[in-house]
């Protein structure tokens, strides 16, 4: 088996080729002000995630980046990523509010469930979010590829131990976080007050570790190197996966058994 770094580098190379064949141009950016400005002006956007917004978060040099995807008509997609080096991602970053705010106050802490996976995620943790795809490109498989690209870059740049994200109940229950975004594990962490929306929500942390990322890359590369596929071919696979039943055994409530 190839090393994690070699797989990530090959995955990046093949992905760029796939995007170019499909009429897209990918750019890597390190100024998150550009990501925040893009989302504030984007159509069909909800909240601008404060985790990646320099107006709210203390983003250290070389510990955050974002990807922008363009076609001939302009920007069509983006996603952001950050590195957290922590002994407990859920207890230290999420529960304290530091995941979203540089100096969180009492009103910036979520209603963390007692069953949240305390002590499970540590080390060099890549955290992705801020995924947006233009409405006219939402059937092209971009929400499948972009989360995988930031995982590849997280391994190449930061040698992460794991990668995670947060999703609302609707995204989780639709199967997108598993079948499209490619996170095989999820835990419900918040049920109640959620600071980024200043209101109540049910929120899941979604997770994949370094070995699972490597196995995912190997599987994907078989499809990506079979002939000269384009994103519309990937989109067909993604659509088929999303319409498969969600594997409920992957939803773990720590202390409460499988959901």
């Amino acid at each position: 088996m190839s090393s994690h770094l070699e797989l990530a580098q090959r995955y990046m190379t093949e992905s760029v080729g796939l995007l170019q064949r499909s009429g897209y141009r990918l750019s890597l950016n390190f100024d998150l002000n550009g990501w925040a400005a893009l989302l504030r002006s984007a159509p069909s956007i909800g909240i601008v995630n404060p985790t990646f917004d320099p107006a709210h978060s203390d983003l250290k040099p070389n510990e955050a980046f974002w990807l922008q995807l363009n076609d001939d008509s302009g920007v069509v997609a983006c996603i952001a990523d950050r590195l957290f080096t922590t002994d407990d991602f859920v207890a230290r970053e999420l529960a304290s509010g530091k995941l979203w705010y540089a100096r969180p106050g009492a009103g910036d802490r979520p209603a963390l469930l007692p069953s949240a996976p305390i002590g499970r995620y540590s080390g060099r943790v890549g955290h992705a979010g801020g995924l947006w795809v233009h409405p006219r490109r939402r059937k092209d498989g971009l929400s499948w590829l972009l989360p995988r690209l930031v995982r590849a870059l997280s391994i190449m740049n930061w040698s992460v131990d794991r990668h995670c994200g947060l999703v609302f109940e609707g995204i989780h229950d639709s199967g997108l976080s598993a079948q499209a975004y490619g996170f095989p594990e999820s835990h419900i962490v918040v049920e109640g007050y959620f600071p980024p929306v200043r209101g109540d929500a049910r929120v899941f942390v979604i997770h994949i570790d370094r070995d699972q990322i490597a196995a995912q890359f190997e599987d994907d590369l078989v499809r990506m190197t079979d002939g000269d596929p384009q994103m519309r071919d990937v989109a067909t696979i993604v659509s088929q996966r999303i319409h498969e039943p969600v594997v409920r055994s992957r939803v773990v409530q720590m202390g409460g058994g499988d959901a």
Side-chain angles (χ1 to χ4, degrees):
M1 178 185 290
S2 301
S3 71
H4 297 90
L5 177 58
E6 290 171 337
L7 274 172
Q9 290 172 330
R10 186 180 172 214
Y11 196 88
M12 194 70 197
T13 298
E14 295 294 342
S15 296
V16 169
L18 171 62
L19 289 168
Q20 289 176 340
R21 288 194 301 272
S22 306
Y24 293 108
R25 298 182 302 281
L26 181 70
S27 60
L28 170 63
N29 310 279
F30 295 95
D31 182 357
L32 273 293
N33 285 296
W35 169 85
L38 172 60
L39 282 198
R40 288 191 180 100
S41 64
S44 304
I45 191 68
I47 64 168
V48 176
N49 190 333
T51 299
F52 310 98
D53 188 348
H56 298 285
S57 290
D58 182 15
L59 300 175
K60 299 177 182 178
N62 304 317
E63 291 189 357
F65 67 85
W66 66 286
L67 298 178
Q68 178 177 315
L69 202 59
N70 286 58
D71 65 9
D72 290 340
S73 298
V75 182
V76 295
C78 67
I79 191 171
D81 200 40
R82 279 185 68 179
L83 173 67
F84 290 91
T85 303
T86 178
D87 59 356
D88 193 324
F89 180 80
V90 173
R92 301 295 185 193
E93 317 306 327
L94 194 153
S96 68
K98 291 180 180 178
L99 179 61
W100 307 289
Y101 306 106
R103 289 168 290 279
D108 297 326
R109 299 186 180 98
L112 194 72
L113 286 169
S115 59
I118 301 294
R120 191 175 180 91
Y121 306 136
S122 62
R124 300 175 67 80
V125 182
H127 179 69
L131 174 63
W132 170 79
V133 179
H134 195 286
R136 64 184 169 83
R137 289 294 192 177
R138 287 186 179 169
K139 296 186 182 296
D140 281 9
L142 300 179
S143 62
W144 177 88
L145 186 61
L146 286 174
R148 288 160 169 78
L149 280 179
V150 294
R151 291 200 277 275
L153 286 165
S154 291
I155 289 176
M156 292 165 62
N157 295 336
W158 301 326
S159 189
V160 296
D161 299 303
R162 61 193 75 256
H163 214 260
C164 69
L166 293 178
V167 294
F168 292 111
E169 178 181 26
I171 293 292
H172 174 270
D173 290 351
S174 72
L176 279 171
S177 58
Q179 283 100 329
Y181 303 163
F183 288 91
E185 183 179 317
S186 64
H187 308 265
I188 187 167
V189 288
V190 174
E191 188 168 40
Y193 183 68
F194 188 59
V197 300
R198 298 296 166 185
D200 291 348
R202 296 186 81 232
V203 180
F204 292 76
V205 61
I206 50 180
H207 171 263
I208 185 169
D209 67 30
R210 187 178 174 90
D211 289 338
Q212 290 171 319
I213 293 171
Q216 188 177 80
F217 285 171
E218 288 188 320
D219 288 343
D220 290 347
L221 282 166
V222 172
R223 301 184 184 94
M224 293 166 67
T225 56
D226 183 13
D228 292 313
Q230 296 194 11
M231 284 306 305
R232 61 174 174 266
D233 302 312
V234 171
T236 300
I237 298 171
V238 173
S239 178
Q240 291 170 349
R241 288 179 178 176
I242 291 172
H243 288 93
E244 293 172 356
V246 178
V247 182
R248 292 293 178 181
S249 62
R250 290 174 175 170
V251 182
V252 182
Q253 295 180 319
M254 299 300 291
D258 291 354

